[in-house]
Amino acid sequence: MVYFRVDSNDVIAGGHVMRCIALASYLKKNGAKVQFLVADDNPVSVLKQYQMDYRVLNTDWKNLESDKNFVLNLLKSEKKSILIIDTYRVTKEYVEALAPFCKIVYLGSKPEYLGPLNLLINYSANIDYDFYRDSYDKKTQLLLGPGYAPLREEFQNRNHLYLANIKKVLLTSGNTDPDDFLETVLDTITAASISDQIIFEVVIGQMFKNKHKLHSKYDNNSHIVLLENVSSMSSLMEKCDLAISANGTTVYELSAMGIPTISFAMVDEQIKSAEALSKMDVVDYCGCSFIDKRKCARQILDRLIYYFNNNDQLIGLANRAHNLIDGNGCKKISNIIMNLEE
């Protein structure tokens, strides 16, 4: 059995659960049994959507110690189990308590030594390779770099058709938008003349608290399409010429699709990765929405206008991103996880 300990809510970006679902789907396809362990009901709807088995622990997602005894007893009852942990709340003490009873995988970028892991996956563009090599011995396999991004099957082997100019733009912050940043971006863009030349497709995530504000403002705007319950992000992406996205898993999906992306950091943990991807010139990073959302929105508008007038730069950005992230991360990770059971 492969267990996934992961959460999502209006604080944690939904990308954590989605990347675990992507990996779980690949593992299931190759014969593994999987089950999600979640603190509360928040991720349940999406887990049901992807037909994933799950248990709600009814614990505090901020404190993994609150579920340690339950998870420990579960692992003791299951021989040769694997626990994949995908939360910033993980601690060395948590790993040490569970390690005698299972193989432990950490999926994430928390910059701390986390104890006796069997496998560590960090697909960030911002990696301190010396830290990992100095902190972990040979008992911990390390999968490091954007090539290991665990993306769903729909993002594999995709090639984008580039148009001569930008006609359609995708705008997304993932599953949540705690600071109402999408509203600020739309307010900023619609005040500019360029807004009449582009169709903006705006994804409203399942955990948006104030989606009614977007509907009341923009339902009657012919250049803005508000979308809820999107069943296929890849189908939506392939119709767009540019994306404006929070720098979570979606940025990696866009890169695999070959979609040029203007990004922003919606939470603190996205900043370093966004900056690193920007230095590699594979996304155009416009700052932190949660620090100064109006400044960030203005920078996004400036870059949108730039790419509208410089199509060759737009295509170059997309090609570099696609060359870095090929969409086959789940296959690479799954092969190693299946070998951990032996």
Side-chain angles (χ1 to χ4, degrees):
M1 175 72 78
V2 181
Y3 295 102
F4 287 83
R5 180 63 191 90
V6 62
D7 295 308
S8 72
N9 49 48
D10 57 1
V11 177
I12 305 171
H16 291 271
V17 167
M18 291 311 300
R19 67 190 184 188
C20 287
I21 287 174
L23 184 53
S25 297
Y26 201 94
L27 288 166
K28 284 176 66 177
K29 185 181 290 187
N30 287 276
K33 294 181 179 180
V34 304
Q35 185 177 80
F36 280 71
L37 307 176
V38 297
D40 49 48
D41 290 331
N42 280 303
V44 167
S45 60
V46 71
L47 291 173
K48 286 182 176 179
Q49 179 184 341
Y50 286 93
Q51 299 180 326
M52 292 294 163
D53 187 25
Y54 66 89
R55 293 192 190 203
V56 177
L57 305 179
N58 294 311
T59 54
D60 181 3
W61 67 269
K62 297 178 183 178
N63 178 19
L64 286 196
E65 290 296 315
S66 65
D67 67 50
K68 185 174 68 177
N69 288 337
F70 179 89
V71 175
L72 186 61
N73 290 329
L74 184 64
L75 295 171
K76 286 179 179 179
S77 67
E78 184 78 36
K79 293 182 179 180
K80 295 185 177 180
S81 58
I82 295 171
L83 176 66
I84 299 175
I85 303 172
D86 184 355
T87 168
Y88 248 49
R89 302 293 172 170
V90 66
T91 63
K92 179 171 68 73
E93 291 73 22
Y94 187 85
V95 171
E96 287 175 339
L98 302 180
F101 307 100
C102 67
K103 304 289 187 180
I104 298 186
V105 179
Y106 173 63
L107 173 57
S109 57
K110 188 170 184 176
E112 297 177 13
Y113 173 66
L114 295 175
L117 300 170
N118 297 95
L119 177 64
L120 185 151
I121 308 151
N122 180 357
Y123 62 89
S124 173
N126 177 63
I127 294 177
D128 184 346
Y129 289 91
D130 289 336
F131 162 76
Y132 285 108
R133 289 168 183 150
D134 292 342
S135 299
Y136 293 94
D137 58 28
K138 293 182 180 180
K139 294 179 181 179
T140 301
Q141 295 185 66
L142 301 174
L143 303 184
L144 306 175
Y148 291 104
L151 307 182
R152 300 193 301 279
E153 188 175 6
E154 63 185 289
F155 300 104
Q156 297 175 14
N157 305 314
R158 305 300 292 262
N159 292 300
H160 188 60
L161 176 63
Y162 302 105
L163 302 180
N165 49 52
I166 298 173
K167 294 183 178 180
K168 190 174 290 186
V169 171
L170 174 67
L171 176 58
T172 176
S173 63
N175 214 26
T176 183
D177 186 14
D179 302 311
D180 296 332
F181 183 59
L182 296 196
E183 180 185 4
T184 303
V185 173
L186 289 172
D187 287 349
T188 303
I189 290 174
T190 53
S193 58
I194 195 174
S195 64
D196 294 332
Q197 303 175 66
I198 300 172
I199 300 297
F200 294 88
E201 299 208 328
V202 185
V203 178
I204 297 178
Q206 293 180 344
M207 296 181 185
F208 275 42
K209 288 184 175 180
N210 297 314
K211 63 182 180 180
H212 62 280
K213 293 171 65 178
L214 292 175
H215 283 293
S216 63
K217 276 189 175 183
Y218 295 112
D219 273 347
N220 295 322
N221 188 319
S222 61
H223 286 267
I224 295 174
V225 181
L226 302 179
L227 302 168
E228 296 189 57
N229 302 313
V230 174
S231 59
S232 175
M233 281 297 291
S234 62
S235 298
L236 182 59
M237 290 174 180
E238 68 182 356
K239 297 174 184 176
C240 293
D241 309 303
L242 171 71
I244 300 168
S245 172
N247 203 92
T249 301
T250 304
V251 164
Y252 290 84
E253 295 170 348
L254 289 162
S255 297
M257 292 285 295
I259 310 297
T261 303
I262 297 170
S263 78
F264 57 92
M266 193 171 68
V267 292
D268 186 67
E269 69 178 88
Q270 293 178 349
I271 295 175
K272 290 184 178 180
S273 178
E275 291 174 341
L277 287 171
S278 183
K279 287 180 181 177
M280 298 166 74
D281 205 14
V282 295
V283 300
D284 196 328
Y285 174 53
C286 290
C288 304
S289 63
F290 63 96
I291 292 177
D292 189 337
K293 63 181 182 179
R294 289 181 177 80
K295 178 182 178 181
C296 185
R298 288 194 298 269
Q299 289 176 331
I300 288 171
L301 173 61
D302 289 344
R303 300 313 293 165
L304 174 61
I305 293 171
Y306 172 79
Y307 287 117
F308 187 82
N309 295 312
N310 294 274
N311 189 257
D312 57 332
Q313 297 298 316
L314 187 77
I315 295 172
L317 188 72
N319 284 336
R320 288 188 294 275
H322 188 60
N323 289 335
L324 180 68
I325 300 164
D326 61 10
N328 292 312
C330 280
K331 179 179 180 180
K332 301 170 190 175
I333 295 169
S334 178
N335 289 340
I336 293 174
I337 287 176
M338 295 301 284
N339 287 330
L340 290 178
E341 291 186 324
E342 298 178 355

